[in-house]
Amino acid sequence: MKALFLKLKNKKIVVLIIVIGLVCAIIGVKSFMPKGSDNQGALTDIKRTVTIERGTLKDSIDIKGIIKSEESSSVTPTLPAKVMELNVKVGDIVKKGDVIAVLDNSSIKEEIEKKKKEIGEEKSNLKLAFDRLTKQQEEAAQRKNDVINEQTRLVNQAQTAYDQAVRNASNYTSTLNSAKGNFENAKIEVEKRRNELSNKESILQQRYTEWMNNGGTDSSTGYTEYQTAKAELEAASKEFENAKNVFNYDEYEKNYNTAVEQSNNLNQTMTEAKNRLDNSKNDRDKAIKSEDKNIQDLNLQALDAKKKWETYNGSDALKELDKKMEESVLKAETSGKITELKVTVGSVPKESIATIESVDKLIMEATVQAYDIAKVKEGQKVIITNSTNDKQVEGTILRVSPTATTSENTSGFLVQIKVSASDNLYVGTKVNGEIIISEKQNVLTVPKDAVFQDDEGGHIKVQGEDGEFKDMLVTVVEQNEFFVEISGKDVKEGLEVLAVYEWDNLVNNQRDKIEAEDNVQ
């Protein structure tokens, strides 16, 4: 039982053998008993035990697979040319960048010489284009100076008109203020009389109302007060009219309105002159910006033309030819071993000429069945065993395919496992693997059938010194499909326990079957 680290497949076989052995033992007793013998006693005496042992409780999945190179590359030509040199053979170790083969490149060299001549002619044309743009730059600079002079003249003209309008408006301010002062002084005096007249009108209305409310007779006091108020109103009205004449109110009002109108006209003239000045400045700025834009465009064109002229070397045209020259020399893209070579000197390859596979970076590819795939995760540890020498190497799950694949002989999910060390492993060899789902070391375990669980916890039947089995309450810590880790104050290594906790039910079922067969006979 210490070999609990055996793979689950082996565990299934062991447990299955135990159960089959127990049933066969019961049937065997019945077969060698004479008819009518005491079958019950014989059956009761047959009890298989197991020992509580300390070991490793592990849940794992067995897999089979093949070793492949994690890093593989092909040497594939892109040019339809024959092989002039071949520098390797199958089995050679190469490094990245090593020359594998050289193709015929004589025609490419001729094309390069022809293209260089065309490049010289193109460079001369680019120089002529740059010279033309340089002359256009000089002409644009002169045209800008002419525009600045004309626009400046127009701005100065508008500025002079505006300055005159400002002076006219400013000079008229004293005339407006004088007219305004005369009118406001006369208005104050006239407004006093107007207010007095309004007050007398209110008093007259009040006396009239009181007179009417008291009877409205001519002999009453109210009538006398009404007549007095009426006389005062007439006097205030005359005073108001006299004040307008005395203080020249109408004349001052007319003069003031005329002065305001003239001032408004002068201000309008000043505003229009200011607008013309602003417009002339805007026109000047736009004209200069337009010339600047033209000069800027020419500068950019000239810079571009100069750059093209100075830097042009036909690199774009030669790049493709240089690329072909490079492609005529076939190099290793990765380091590794030449595992396949498909050409000879003088042949014209149409596909890959060689395959290079890394011998240091290896992976194991295997298929996991659908019922186990949910437990498999990237990063899990895998124990890889070489089928030829049983040496073990650790690996780590690198990739798990999200979709199942089906082949002629099997179906499942492809799993790739990164191998930690390549010693004693070779590309193409078949290996066994064990994916470790969980692992717990140095624990006390028994077969799963030896434990019964209910609301109290776990139960095992421990064999005492007298041969009798007694129930012991235990704690079920962890379990896999076939074994259980147990603990408890009385649980210790070496105790003999009943292999199948439900042994009595198994015996009773078999006894009923035997009795039924005896009755038939």
Side-chain angles (χ1 to χ4, degrees):
M1 294 295 291
K2 287 187 177 180
L4 295 180
F5 53 80
L6 290 176
K7 308 179 188 109
L8 288 180
K9 183 176 179 182
N10 295 334
K11 293 175 185 176
K12 295 178 183 178
I13 294 173
V14 171
V15 174
L16 183 60
I17 290 173
I18 292 173
V19 175
I20 293 174
L22 293 175
V23 175
C24 290
I26 295 171
I27 296 173
V29 170
K30 190 261 180 184
S31 300
F32 288 99
M33 285 181 182
K35 185 176 181 181
S37 63
D38 187 6
N39 294 347
Q40 288 187 357
L43 287 172
T44 304
D45 289 340
I46 302 172
K47 291 185 177 180
R48 177 67 181 274
T49 62
V50 293
T51 304
I52 298 178
E53 296 189 357
R54 186 175 297 280
T56 300
L57 184 68
K58 179 164 60 176
D59 189 8
S60 62
I61 300 172
D62 288 334
I63 55 174
K64 292 181 180 294
I66 189 170
I67 295 297
K68 293 187 176 183
S69 175
E70 183 182 4
E71 188 175 77
S72 176
S73 64
S74 297
V75 180
T76 304
T78 57
L79 300 177
K82 65 181 179 180
V83 177
M84 301 300 292
E85 297 178 19
L86 187 59
N87 300 329
V88 296
K89 61 182 182 298
V90 173
D92 285 354
I93 301 297
V94 298
K95 295 181 180 179
K96 181 179 180 180
D98 285 353
V99 176
I100 305 300
V102 178
L103 303 178
D104 183 7
N105 54 26
S106 56
S107 61
I108 301 174
K109 292 180 179 178
E110 292 177 0
E111 288 186 53
I112 291 175
E113 291 303 317
K114 180 180 178 182
K115 186 58 65 177
K116 286 181 177 179
K117 182 179 179 181
E118 294 175 355
I119 290 170
E121 295 173 354
E122 179 63 18
K123 194 172 183 71
S124 297
N125 293 333
L126 291 173
K127 176 64 168 60
L128 291 175
F130 170 66
D131 292 341
R132 284 194 297 270
L133 286 168
T134 301
K135 184 177 181 181
Q136 291 177 19
Q137 284 179 296
E138 296 172 354
E139 293 172 350
Q142 182 57 50
R143 185 168 56 252
K144 178 183 176 181
N145 290 333
D146 294 342
V147 168
I148 291 175
N149 292 334
E150 175 61 17
Q151 292 297 322
T152 300
R153 183 187 68 79
L154 294 174
V155 169
N156 292 339
Q157 181 178 319
Q159 183 70 54
T160 300
Y162 172 66
D163 292 342
Q164 183 60 49
V166 169
R167 286 193 295 271
N168 292 340
S170 178
N171 293 338
Y172 193 74
T173 300
S174 60
T175 302
L176 175 63
N177 290 338
S178 176
K180 181 179 179 181
N182 292 335
F183 172 65
E184 287 182 347
N185 291 334
K187 185 178 180 181
I188 290 172
E189 296 299 329
V190 170
E191 285 299 320
K192 286 182 182 179
R193 276 65 175 183
R194 190 193 304 277
N195 292 337
E196 182 66 21
L197 177 62
S198 177
N199 183 46
K200 296 300 182 181
E201 288 175 346
S202 297
I203 293 173
L204 176 64
Q205 183 61 39
Q206 182 181 355
R207 297 293 183 264
Y208 178 77
T209 300
E210 292 173 353
W211 174 39
M212 288 295 104
N213 289 339
N214 291 324
T217 59
D218 295 343
S219 59
S220 64
T221 304
Y223 176 72
T224 303
E225 292 177 350
Y226 167 69
Q227 289 298 326
T228 301
K230 185 177 180 181
E232 291 177 353
L233 174 61
E234 291 175 353
S237 177
K238 290 180 180 180
E239 180 66 20
F240 172 67
E241 292 300 329
N242 289 336
K244 290 171 67 177
N245 293 328
V246 169
F247 294 105
N248 298 322
Y249 177 81
D250 292 337
E251 181 181 353
Y252 286 156
E253 181 180 25
K254 180 179 179 181
N255 292 341
Y256 174 63
N257 289 335
T258 300
V260 168
E261 182 179 0
Q262 179 62 20
S263 177
N264 290 338
N265 291 335
L266 292 173
N267 287 332
Q268 178 64 28
T269 300
M270 181 178 64
T271 299
E272 291 174 354
K274 180 64 167 60
N275 291 337
R276 285 191 293 272
L277 174 61
D278 292 340
N279 290 337
S280 65
K281 289 180 179 180
N282 290 334
D283 292 341
R284 179 190 61 186
D285 293 342
K286 288 179 181 180
I288 294 174
K289 285 182 179 179
S290 177
E291 295 302 321
D292 286 340
K293 179 66 169 56
N294 184 44
I295 291 173
Q296 183 181 20
D297 290 342
L298 288 171
N299 289 341
L300 291 175
Q301 293 175 36
L303 284 174
D304 185 58
K306 183 180 181 182
K307 182 179 179 181
K308 287 180 179 179
W309 163 52
E310 292 179 343
T311 62
Y312 179 74
N313 54 15
S315 59
D316 292 338
L318 287 174
K319 188 179 295 183
E320 188 66 27
L321 292 173
D322 290 339
K323 182 180 179 183
K324 288 183 178 181
M325 282 294 292
E326 291 178 2
E327 291 173 351
S328 69
V329 180
L330 305 180
K331 297 180 180 181
E333 294 183 2
T334 59
S335 299
K337 179 186 289 187
I338 301 293
T339 58
E340 186 179 23
L341 197 61
K342 301 179 181 179
V343 295
T344 58
V345 174
S347 62
V348 179
K350 297 181 179 179
E351 54 183 16
S352 170
I353 68 167
T355 300
I356 303 171
E357 294 186 293
S358 171
V359 294
D360 298 323
K361 300 177 182 179
L362 303 180
I363 60 171
M364 172 186 176
E365 282 194 356
T367 300
V368 176
Q369 301 302 315
Y371 52 78
D372 282 330
I373 196 63
K375 296 186 288 184
V376 179
K377 310 292 181 187
E378 292 181 3
Q380 287 176 332
K381 184 172 75 172
V382 181
I383 304 299
I384 302 169
T385 305
N386 191 329
S387 57
T388 60
N389 53 27
D390 290 334
K391 289 188 177 181
Q392 293 184 341
V393 177
E394 282 195 9
T396 304
I397 294 181
L398 190 63
R399 284 181 289 274
V400 179
S401 174
T403 57
T405 56
T406 302
S407 63
E408 187 174 331
N409 299 322
T410 183
S411 66
F413 291 80
L414 180 65
V415 175
Q416 291 184 332
I417 300 153
K418 185 175 181 62
V419 180
S420 61
S422 60
D423 297 343
N424 300 308
L425 293 177
Y426 303 97
V427 174
T429 57
K430 294 181 179 180
V431 291
N432 299 322
E434 182 184 7
I435 302 174
I436 307 302
I437 305 303
S438 64
E439 186 175 30
K440 198 171 183 181
Q441 298 179 348
N442 197 29
V443 296
L444 297 174
T445 62
V446 292
K448 200 170 185 179
D449 289 339
V451 181
F452 171 76
Q453 296 188 64
D454 58 15
D455 294 340
E456 290 183 321
H459 300 267
I460 58 174
K461 290 183 178 179
V462 181
Q463 188 176 33
E465 294 180 358
D466 57 359
E468 296 297 322
F469 290 90
K470 295 182 180 180
D471 188 88
M472 177 184 290
L473 184 65
V474 298
T475 299
V476 176
V477 181
E478 197 168 328
Q479 58 185 315
N480 59 24
E481 190 174 357
F482 301 102
F483 293 94
V484 179
E485 177 194 353
I486 58 174
S487 66
K489 65 177 183 177
D490 296 323
V491 177
K492 59 184 178 180
E493 186 177 1
L495 287 180
E496 292 287 331
V497 301
L498 194 61
V500 180
Y501 187 90
E502 300 288 347
W503 175 262
D504 292 337
N505 291 337
L506 181 63
V507 171
N508 290 335
N509 291 337
Q510 190 62 31
R511 182 188 297 116
D512 293 341
K513 183 177 180 182
I514 293 172
E515 289 177 354
E517 292 176 354
D518 288 343
N519 292 334
V520 172
Q521 296 176 1

